[in-house]
Amino acid sequence: MNFIFDNNLPSAWPTAISHLSKDKFEAHCRIDEVIHLREKFDARTPDIEWLTALGQEKGTQWTIISRDSFRKQNGAERQVQRQYGLSVFVLQKSWASKPYWEMTSQFIQWWPRLVAQACETERVAMEVPWVASKRFTQI
């Protein structure tokens, strides 16, 4: 299982999450890679292009973490996600208004549940609410 954080999220998160996650999940839910989008693609790469590239990687399962609901271009982004079986977790709009450290702390609380959901369900598209006691919402 691989996770890629979109450009609209802090670039430090994937490195921190990767270190925090090392050997902390069950064998059936092994995390291979946790990266920021800019580690793999130019920051100006259109969403359709990098989503397609991820989907076309053979033998690799990617889960995308973003604040972007990928509803631009008349649903083309969502179509690419479905076509290639990419899982997506979109942080609810309320995340954007929070200070950096508060947002980071809250994301760390969500991370184990997010990983579990990604491992249990393929091709998932979920919204992540701000409040950690709430549930994911299918989008």
Side-chain angles (χ1 to χ4, degrees):
M1 170 83 47
N2 297 301
F3 292 87
I4 189 164
F5 286 66
D6 200 350
N7 275 332
N8 54 30
L9 293 172
S11 60
W13 281 12
T15 302
I17 290 293
S18 180
H19 287 291
L20 291 168
S21 299
K22 193 170 182 78
D23 302 324
K24 299 296 185 235
F25 292 97
E26 303 291 326
H28 73 278
C29 193
R30 194 178 98 234
I31 297 175
D32 295 314
E33 202 170 358
V34 181
I35 63 170
H36 196 272
L37 186 78
R38 286 173 281 197
E39 293 178 54
K40 196 166 182 71
F41 302 99
D42 184 270
R44 296 168 304 220
T45 305
D47 289 346
I48 293 289
E49 200 174 305
W50 65 262
L51 289 167
T52 300
L54 289 178
Q56 291 177 341
E57 283 188 19
K58 301 293 181 207
T60 307
Q61 181 183 358
W62 284 99
T63 297
I64 300 156
I65 314 295
S66 182
R67 283 196 325 226
D68 180 357
S69 59
F70 298 107
R71 293 188 179 150
K72 301 180 292 287
Q73 300 184 15
N74 297 322
E77 295 156 327
R78 289 280 179 91
Q79 179 58 36
V80 169
Q81 290 167 2
R82 285 189 289 275
Q83 178 182 351
Y84 292 110
L86 298 169
S87 291
V88 180
F89 288 87
V90 176
L91 304 184
Q92 217 173 46
K93 288 183 181 187
S94 58
W95 286 76
S97 64
K98 307 299 182 189
Y100 175 81
W101 287 111
E102 188 177 349
M103 186 171 53
T104 300
S105 171
Q106 193 70 353
F107 186 80
I108 290 170
Q109 286 187 38
W110 271 105
W111 182 245
R113 289 176 56 195
L114 197 146
V115 170
Q117 184 71 41
C119 288
E120 292 170 10
T121 313
E122 289 184 24
R123 300 177 184 219
V124 67
M126 299 286 205
E127 184 176 64
V128 181
W130 172 254
V131 179
S133 62
K134 293 193 176 183
R135 297 175 185 248
F136 295 111
T137 307
Q138 183 121 14
I139 53 174

